[in-house]
Amino acid sequence: MSEAFWRKLSVLTGLFALAAVFGLTIFAANLEIKDLDLWLHIGTGRYIIEHHFQVPKTDVLSCTIAGKPWNNHEWLFQVIVSQIFERWGADGLINMQVALVALTMLVLFFLGYNRDKQLTTIFFLLLVSLVYQGRFTIRPDLYSLLFFALDILLLSFYLHRRWVIYAFFVIQVLWTNIHGFFFFGPLFVLLGLFGEWLKRSVRLPYQWNKAGRLTNEEYRRLKFVLAAVLLACVFNPQLIKGALYPFTVIFQLSGDSKIFFEKIVELKRPITSSTIFSLQDYPYYRLLIILSAMSFYFNRRKLDVGIFIFWLVFLFFSLSAIRNLIFFAFAAYLVIVTNALAISFKNLVPINIKDKRFQHITAIVAKAGLAIWIFNYGSQMALHGYYDFAKYERKSEYWGVSLRSFPQRVVDFLVENKVKGNFFNDFNSGAYLVGRTYPDIKVFIDGRTELYGPQFFKYYQSIWEKDNADEFVKALDKYQLTGVFLNSNTSPIPKKVLKRLCELKDWVPVYFDYDGVIFLKDTPENQAVIKAHQIDFAKIKPYDIDLYRFGPMRAEPYQPISRGITLYSMGYDDAAVKEAQIAIKMSPNFMEPYKILGRVYAQKKDYELAFENFRIAVMYAPDAQDLHISLAKVYDDLKKYEFAIREYKKIIDRWPHDQEAYFGIARSYLNNQEFDKAIHSLKVAHKIAPEEVDDILEIADRFFSDEKFALARDAYELIVSQEKRLDEICLRLGKIYVRLNENEKAKEAFERGLQHNADNRELKNELRRLQPEKQLEEQPTPEIPHEQPTLGDQVPSEQLHRSDLAGRNWGW
């Protein structure tokens, strides 16, 4: 067959592969609604429309920062999604995402398509699609990506046209009111101008001064484009202040704001020192970095310096946060297709193959292989889904609203009962509450991190993440809260907070299920709902499942598991056991029900049953670090010290920086009378967690009670530099020094303890005993009968045995 035939067949095969790329991308864009912040946008958009398009300039959604200045730079997106949701529901929003993604991919296709380099376009467009799928969340980013591609298209092909200035202006006005990344518009133009200035003013190597150089007319027009996009940035409700918004955020990225990058997944770095060589984390993104860098090498003689600067900027931008990966993917695609124009087949393949038919056949095989891979990849994606327990059927992960991401039923309760007031809520629930219940309910916190600021976020973290029940109770009064919304749909509720809430007499539970708990304050406004729905947890019925209808379905029984964890946290152990047993009946091969049973039985000191369940749990989840710790503790409680030590050693081998494992093995060594190994493990634990006091104090007390005074001294000295419980530490350390006949050191320890707590009577008494008679005459005090040195009333010796050690935390 002729060379022309193989060339045409290669082109047709390429078009088929391109269709497969677009088909895969469009299918993936139909992902069910999972994004939390979408509901915040819907609620805010509804507010703007109801107030005749007046964009709020201060917070109106929360009960904690109400009235705080708010630069709402995404108001236009919020209006768009609220109107689409109002008219067409969730499917309308998904269709909007599909349309935006398809249009963006089409622009990228036109940017990079070259019939002679068809395989290059297909392969790298596929890589972009695979990275793109990580951002298929209905957010303003979708519009930013479209505007990104359109700006690059205009700069690449239409800069010689007069209308390009007006096109840039319109795009920039829309971008400025839709997403905070609108600063990319001026950035693109500035990078283009800087690159052009370098080509015209600096002597560069090879042919860099000529590569991609603009005509004088294009260079002049690019300056007008810069003026147009800068002017367009001012067209927003906050004018100059709104235009400067990105810079205010950038300047806030250091200091306290770093907490957002540590706690919010999408703001974390995609590549760290520990994952730099990992092939599992973001492989397509990493491949784009490598291949785009290689394209510069192969095109090093005709390198476009402006494109290279553009690539560097977005590489560093993407390395700063996971959410930015797709922007680098777009930049890398542009770089590769640009460099590919100057790279021939000979540059890539050292063998000189002159037969055109062989080249075409090779391309056909490669394109067909890509198409087959895409089909298989898409087939696997289509299988993604989970079980819908309400309908007793499997739900696809595409189309509709996720049943696992949002606490739908618990919010339905609020809406149906028309509950109003100021509510405490977790961070992940705030946006959903705004979208479904505003203005009836004002939230404690939501996803607007830049508005709440790092200090408030840390305050929230001190309650939720650190499970600080005392701070939680203060917040109830400080913000005049009338409701508490605790979401358990995706993660357990903090145990101490939940338990304290149950103890407050003026707070009444009115809703409980797998997705959360609602407590209402006993106020006149809440009386009707409380009277109709008050819950007595002692009489709570277990999760109801029709096992005959459920059949042999292998599905995670997350609903009874979630209920069981919540009930356990509240102290209703028997009810938690029933939920766990139901979960095991439904699907016995998941570890969480056994974990619940293990925790309950360990708390009841039925260590044999606890061991049985933790052992099974570890079998089903061998990578669960906390389960290995629990199993080791139960071994210790059963006085199987050699097995406890064996388990702790396994943990240390796999997780060498686990402080709990080192503290645990120190206790087991101590119980097994291996004192030197115990103190060694304790010192290692202290190096890992130098701020930890309670565990070291507990083990040091054990050394004291076992009359291992030198070891006790070594243990106390590890923490004597800490401020926490310093008076107790100094008292114990001083008594150890007395036992070791080191009275001067004892005196120093007692005096230091008194400096920390001058009211500690026991420290005063011990210090008086060490003072000479002359000093006693100078400081007359009532005579106190001499007592044998003990550790004081805080730690009676009979409570120092391992089986009764205080501070055991079996919580989730």
Side-chain angles (χ1 to χ4, degrees):
M1 295 181 184
S2 66
E3 185 264 336
F5 169 81
W6 292 110
R7 184 176 65 250
K8 289 180 181 178
L9 184 58
S10 176
V11 171
L12 287 173
T13 308
L15 292 175
F16 178 74
L18 273 171
V21 172
F22 274 86
L24 175 70
T25 308
I26 290 170
F27 173 75
N30 281 280
L31 186 70
E32 66 181 3
I33 293 176
K34 295 182 177 182
D35 186 65
L36 299 167
D37 287 343
L38 172 63
W39 301 97
L40 175 70
H41 295 309
I42 291 172
T44 308
R46 188 169 62 243
Y47 173 92
I48 293 170
I49 293 169
E50 290 173 355
H51 289 79
H52 310 291
F53 287 88
Q54 289 187 1
V55 180
K57 295 183 178 180
T58 59
D59 173 64
V60 295
L61 306 177
S62 80
C63 61
T64 50
I65 56 168
K68 185 176 180 179
W70 177 22
N71 189 339
N72 185 8
H73 54 281
E74 298 171 339
W75 71 271
L76 184 54
F77 172 79
Q78 293 163 348
V79 169
I80 292 170
V81 293
S82 68
Q83 284 297 286
I84 291 175
F85 185 72
E86 181 76 20
R87 297 185 182 187
W88 298 293
D91 289 340
L93 292 172
I94 293 172
N95 289 334
M96 179 198 77
Q97 175 167 262
V98 170
L100 288 170
V101 168
L103 183 56
T104 304
M105 289 291 288
L106 198 60
V107 173
L108 292 177
F109 168 74
F110 284 124
L111 258 172
Y113 185 71
N114 183 303
R115 186 169 178 175
D116 295 330
K117 307 283 185 179
Q118 193 184 51
L119 182 59
T120 301
T121 304
I122 297 166
F123 180 70
F124 288 103
L125 204 57
L126 173 61
L127 288 181
V128 170
S129 172
L130 294 171
V131 178
Y132 202 175
Q133 290 172 29
R135 294 304 294 174
F136 285 172
T137 55
I138 302 173
R139 288 190 174 192
D141 307 51
L142 293 174
Y143 285 91
S144 273
L145 289 164
L146 174 60
F147 297 147
F148 184 115
L150 287 173
D151 272 9
I152 298 302
L153 182 70
L154 293 175
L155 286 170
S156 300
F157 297 122
Y158 300 103
L159 200 54
H160 62 287
R161 300 294 182 90
R162 292 183 179 179
W163 53 262
V164 76
I165 298 175
Y166 303 105
F168 267 106
F169 181 81
V170 172
I171 291 171
Q172 191 62 38
V173 169
L174 293 172
W175 203 345
T176 301
N177 293 280
I178 284 179
H179 193 214
F181 282 0
F182 67 84
F183 70 91
F184 284 165
L187 178 64
F188 294 159
V189 183
L190 282 169
L191 290 176
L193 287 170
F194 179 63
E196 190 64 22
W197 175 82
L198 284 175
K199 295 171 191 176
R200 291 168 178 259
S201 306
V202 179
R203 187 174 180 179
L204 302 172
Y206 301 119
Q207 301 178 43
W208 294 11
N209 290 93
K210 295 180 180 179
R213 186 163 172 169
L214 302 177
T215 65
N216 290 336
E217 179 62 24
E218 289 172 335
Y219 188 34
R220 185 181 67 85
R221 186 165 287 124
L222 190 58
K223 296 174 182 177
F224 283 107
V225 168
L226 178 62
V229 294
L230 289 174
L231 178 63
C233 291
V234 183
F235 282 71
N236 69 83
Q238 304 245 18
L239 302 176
I240 297 292
K241 187 177 180 181
L244 295 176
Y245 164 79
F247 299 99
T248 60
V249 172
I250 289 171
F251 289 130
Q252 292 174 358
L253 293 181
S254 59
D256 291 340
S257 294
K258 288 182 179 179
I259 189 173
F260 299 131
F261 293 86
E262 296 169 358
K263 299 296 182 181
I264 299 175
V265 173
E266 68 172 21
L267 297 181
K268 293 183 178 180
R269 295 181 183 275
I271 299 176
T272 62
S273 57
S274 60
T275 64
I276 192 168
F277 297 112
S278 171
L279 298 178
Q280 295 182 346
D281 298 324
Y282 314 107
Y284 306 116
Y285 163 69
R286 291 168 184 263
L287 188 57
L288 279 169
I289 293 176
I290 295 168
L291 295 178
S292 57
M294 288 174 62
S295 74
F296 284 117
Y297 171 77
F298 287 114
N299 189 35
R300 59 190 177 277
R301 294 189 176 276
K302 297 180 180 180
L303 185 146
D304 186 332
V305 67
I307 294 290
F308 181 69
I309 295 170
F310 174 78
W311 178 83
L312 277 178
V313 167
F314 280 94
L315 174 61
F316 285 113
F317 181 66
S318 67
L319 290 171
S320 66
I322 292 169
R323 65 176 295 177
N324 303 333
L325 299 186
I326 183 56
F327 291 97
F328 173 77
F330 278 27
Y333 173 77
L334 172 67
V335 163
I336 291 167
V337 297
T338 302
N339 286 331
L341 294 174
I343 301 172
S344 68
F345 188 74
K346 295 178 183 178
N347 296 129
L348 302 175
V349 182
I351 303 172
N352 187 12
I353 301 174
K354 296 181 179 180
D355 189 345
K356 292 289 186 181
R357 287 180 299 178
F358 179 81
Q359 293 181 15
H360 293 317
I361 292 171
T362 304
I364 290 168
V365 172
K367 294 169 188 176
L370 281 175
I372 293 170
W373 186 90
I374 292 168
F375 178 79
N376 289 333
Y377 185 85
S379 299
Q380 292 299 315
M381 286 175 55
L383 298 176
H384 293 176
Y386 49 88
Y387 195 77
D388 183 349
F389 287 93
K391 296 181 178 180
Y392 287 87
E393 64 185 26
R394 188 170 176 79
K395 183 195 178 302
S396 170
E397 213 169 26
Y398 298 90
W399 304 285
V401 179
S402 172
L403 303 178
R404 299 291 300 270
S405 300
F406 310 110
Q408 295 184 40
R409 292 182 58 182
V410 61
V411 175
D412 287 344
F413 175 87
L414 295 173
V415 174
E416 291 166 5
N417 288 281
K418 300 178 181 178
V419 178
K420 300 181 179 181
N422 297 339
F423 265 64
F424 177 88
N425 60 274
D426 62 285
F427 178 76
N428 289 333
S429 299
Y432 189 65
L433 279 170
V434 169
R436 297 273 323 268
T437 66
Y438 182 82
D440 290 342
I441 289 176
K442 300 288 184 69
V443 298
F444 188 86
I445 192 171
D446 54 66
R448 297 170 296 164
T449 52
E450 76 282 358
L451 180 60
Y452 284 90
Q455 293 304 321
F456 186 86
F457 189 75
K458 287 180 180 178
Y459 170 65
Y460 159 77
Q461 289 273 316
S462 71
I463 296 173
W464 191 261
E465 295 292 331
K466 297 182 180 179
D467 200 6
N468 190 328
D470 293 334
E471 204 62 52
F472 169 70
V473 172
K474 292 177 184 177
L476 296 178
D477 294 330
K478 181 178 180 179
Y479 296 105
Q480 299 180 343
L481 302 179
T482 58
V484 173
F485 179 99
L486 302 176
N487 175 10
S488 60
N489 198 48
T490 54
S491 60
I493 301 167
K495 183 178 179 180
K496 294 177 184 177
V497 167
L498 183 55
K499 200 155 190 176
R500 179 68 66 84
L501 188 57
C502 292
E503 295 169 354
L504 299 177
K505 294 181 179 180
D506 54 343
W507 285 87
V508 183
V510 294
Y511 178 92
F512 164 75
D513 209 339
Y514 69 91
D515 56 349
V517 184
I518 295 176
F519 282 76
L520 295 180
K521 191 171 185 179
D522 193 357
T523 63
E525 294 79 9
N526 290 332
Q527 274 297 318
V529 180
I530 290 173
K531 186 176 181 180
H533 299 283
Q534 183 172 358
I535 293 173
D536 182 355
F537 285 107
K539 299 178 181 178
I540 200 79
K541 293 181 180 180
Y543 180 74
D544 186 25
I545 181 75
D546 186 344
L547 287 175
Y548 296 107
R549 190 175 176 187
F550 184 66
M553 176 64 65
R554 189 183 187 279
E556 182 185 8
Y558 67 91
Q559 297 186 349
I561 288 173
S562 177
R563 288 166 58 96
I565 293 171
T566 303
L567 288 166
Y568 166 76
S569 297
M570 290 189 290
Y572 297 99
D573 293 345
D574 293 337
V577 167
K578 291 179 181 178
E579 298 290 347
Q581 290 171 340
I582 288 173
I584 291 171
K585 284 183 180 180
M586 292 170 63
S587 295
N589 51 349
F590 289 89
M591 69 89 178
E592 284 289 353
Y594 301 102
K595 182 178 176 180
I596 294 171
L597 293 174
R599 294 280 165 92
V600 170
Y601 291 133
Q603 192 163 274
K604 290 183 175 183
K605 298 186 179 180
D606 189 340
Y607 299 123
E608 286 290 349
L609 281 176
F611 167 74
E612 290 177 14
N613 285 281
F614 280 133
R615 188 183 72 86
I616 297 172
V618 169
M619 290 167 62
Y620 284 126
D623 295 327
Q625 187 175 351
D626 64 319
L627 287 178
H628 285 279
I629 291 285
S630 297
L631 182 61
K633 287 180 178 179
V634 170
Y635 272 131
D636 196 276
D637 289 322
L638 289 168
K639 299 183 173 23
K640 306 288 186 182
Y641 303 128
E642 67 276 17
F643 299 127
I645 292 167
R646 180 190 67 184
E647 196 65 29
Y648 280 125
K649 284 181 177 179
K650 290 180 183 178
I651 298 167
I652 291 167
D653 286 342
R654 292 189 64 183
W655 300 283
H657 299 291
D658 187 336
Q659 67 188 63
E660 193 173 1
Y662 281 104
F663 283 123
I665 200 171
R667 293 186 184 95
S668 296
Y669 278 135
L670 185 56
N671 291 328
N672 207 36
Q673 304 294 302
E674 298 180 65
F675 300 112
D676 290 338
K677 290 181 178 180
I679 193 66
H680 172 74
S681 299
L682 195 64
K683 289 177 179 179
V684 175
H686 176 65
K687 286 182 180 179
I688 296 172
E691 74 288 347
E692 180 56 49
V693 170
D694 296 336
D695 285 308
I696 294 179
L697 198 57
E698 168 202 312
I699 295 170
D701 290 347
R702 278 290 310 279
F703 282 130
F704 185 96
S705 65
D706 290 344
E707 298 186 357
K708 301 296 179 182
F709 300 122
L711 295 176
R713 175 198 61 202
D714 293 346
Y716 288 131
E717 285 179 347
L718 291 174
I719 50 175
V720 75
S721 60
Q722 300 289 334
E723 287 296 314
K724 182 181 177 182
R725 300 178 68 178
L726 181 59
D727 54 333
E728 297 177 48
I729 296 167
C730 289
L731 175 63
R732 289 159 163 78
L733 186 58
K735 290 181 178 182
I736 292 290
Y737 286 139
V738 170
R739 289 295 185 96
L740 296 173
N741 295 318
E742 299 180 30
N743 290 345
E744 283 301 318
K745 288 185 177 180
K747 180 181 176 184
E748 290 176 8
F750 293 141
E751 288 175 344
R752 184 175 178 187
L754 284 170
Q755 289 175 4
H756 181 76
N757 182 5
D759 297 326
N760 191 312
R761 182 178 177 82
E762 194 169 0
L763 276 170
K764 292 179 181 178
N765 293 341
E766 294 294 337
L767 186 60
R768 288 190 189 104
R769 293 192 185 105
L770 292 176
Q771 289 177 332
E773 282 188 18
K774 187 175 181 180
Q775 291 184 15
L776 286 173
E777 290 173 5
E778 293 173 1
Q779 300 177 9
T781 57
E783 184 178 350
I784 297 173
H786 182 73
E787 300 171 353
Q788 285 295 111
T790 67
L791 285 175
D793 295 336
Q794 296 95 329
V795 189
S797 60
E798 65 271 14
Q799 291 184 9
L800 287 171
H801 295 292
R802 178 67 186 90
S803 59
D804 296 318
L805 286 178
R808 169 67 62 79
N809 181 13
W810 288 105
W812 238 257

